Amino acid sequence: MSVPARLGAYYFAFFAYIGVLAPFFSLWLAGRGYDAREIALVLAMPQIARVFAPAAWGWIADHTGWQRGIVIFSAFTVLAGFASLYAVRGAMELAAIMLALGVLTSGAMPLVESAALSATRAKPGSYGPVRLWGSIGFILAVLGAGAWLDSHDVSTVLDILVTLAAVVCVAAFGIPPRVPHAGPAADARIGPVLARADVLAFFGACMCNAVAHAALYAFLSIHLDAAGYSKAVIGALWTLGSAAEIGVFVFLPQLMRRFTLRALLIASFVCIAVRFVLIGWAVDVLALLLFAILLHAATFGVFHAASLAAVHRIFPGRLEARGQALYSSLTYGMGGAAGTLIAGWTWDALGPGPTFTVSALAGVVGALLVAWKLRV
């Protein structure tokens, strides 16, 4: 099997697992009786770990070449961690397990992304057709789990997660070994890159994207459930967003040729502002809700592809693994953790509308940061 095919298989398996975790784990937590702040605390733990852990794993990968070994270790750790949740009841115990899982596993995806970008660097935009297998896996898992949960208890979410984590373990063996980068020692100095104003503005904008989406991942399913949508419909709505995302990945080569990364990033942040206002205040208007869900193509799909390409340009050669790890740490770690904790507080204190308004404002700030300094 070719390297792109093996990477596609890993993306498929991993995002099938995410396709159950992201929409339905919060419902599993709510089903156990945890309140909004406890749910936010549990969901923030992996994000907090991602503030520092991916950088450590990136350093290890850069200095040892253990790219595939780290990904395999991460997969089996996820399997063991979620299997242990059968015996856990207290929110603090659960939060501690999720924090440990975050520390031990958050290095995997940046390394997979780095491997995918390296494998497709000869053809600009060809990363998209590989990455879209993740979206396909996500869609199938969300649809299947949503239909299942309409006739089965929400407690079975954990059974599905453990099963899918086992599939990820198998797929992890297909990750290619790391190809060493040749280059002078100066090429490996990351400090001067991080001191640049455009790089700081870029990472600030990426954190805004994660802050904006934190409320979505923590509370969208709960928000839709409270509005009267069935589990199958909730799954279908999550699927719709991923289907739109697939369109972006399919046409990514054309987008990359036609627009600059700066233009694509600004467009994605403008869509964030529109999307989250609609989700927060128009959840009962199906047409507007569907439009907001479809904007996932821009707020995640376009942003993800453009930001990864930007990181690849900013951190070349021997800086590659550390650059991707730093991107993960600041974006999904610091930004995701802050956004999740803020969402937990605003949800309890102010309700869904103001919570998603904060997400919209984060999109506005992200657009301004990109327009201000970034030139890629």
Side-chain angles (χ1 to χ4, degrees), residues 70-205:
I70 291 171
V71 175
I72 293 170
F73 169 78
S74 171
F76 279 92
T77 302
V78 168
L79 175 60
F82 275 92
S84 74
L85 298 188
Y86 286 109
V88 175
R89 288 294 179 268
M92 295 307 296
E93 291 176 276
L94 181 55
I97 290 174
M98 297 303 289
L99 178 62
L101 280 179
V103 171
L104 295 173
T105 68
S106 58
M109 187 46 66
L111 294 176
V112 174
E113 297 281 31
S114 177
L117 289 167
S118 295
T120 59
R121 63 158 51 99
K123 297 180 180 179
S126 59
Y127 162 83
V130 174
R131 174 60 178 77
L132 72 81
W133 285 103
S135 300
I136 293 171
F138 185 94
I139 285 173
L140 293 177
V142 171
L143 284 177
W148 172 268
L149 292 173
D150 261 347
S151 56
H152 295 80
D153 191 84
V154 74
S155 63
T156 58
V157 166
L158 187 56
D159 302 329
I160 302 172
L161 285 171
V162 170
T163 301
L164 291 175
V167 176
V168 176
C169 290
V170 176
F173 286 95
I175 299 300
R178 182 171 176 78
V179 178
H181 287 286
D187 184 43
R189 294 177 60 232
I190 201 168
V193 179
L194 295 178
R196 286 163 35 191
D198 62 324
V199 175
L200 294 176
F202 168 70
F203 280 129

Side-chain angles (χ1 to χ4, degrees), residues 242-312:
S242 290
E245 172 189 309
I246 286 178
V248 168
F249 290 134
V250 168
F251 294 103
L252 188 59
Q254 294 93 317
L255 287 173
M256 291 292 194
R257 286 194 295 267
R258 185 167 183 179
F259 301 103
T260 65
L261 297 181
R262 178 175 181 266
L264 292 172
L265 287 169
I266 291 174
S268 73
F269 281 110
V270 171
C271 289
I272 283 174
V274 174
R275 183 186 191 194
F276 288 110
V277 167
L278 293 177
I279 289 175
W281 299 101
V283 69
D284 294 323
V285 183
L286 185 58
L288 294 178
L289 178 62
L290 290 173
F291 176 67
I293 295 297
L294 286 170
L295 285 177
H296 188 72
T299 68
F300 176 78
V302 171
F303 167 81
H304 182 71
S307 61
L308 281 184
V311 171
H312 203 56

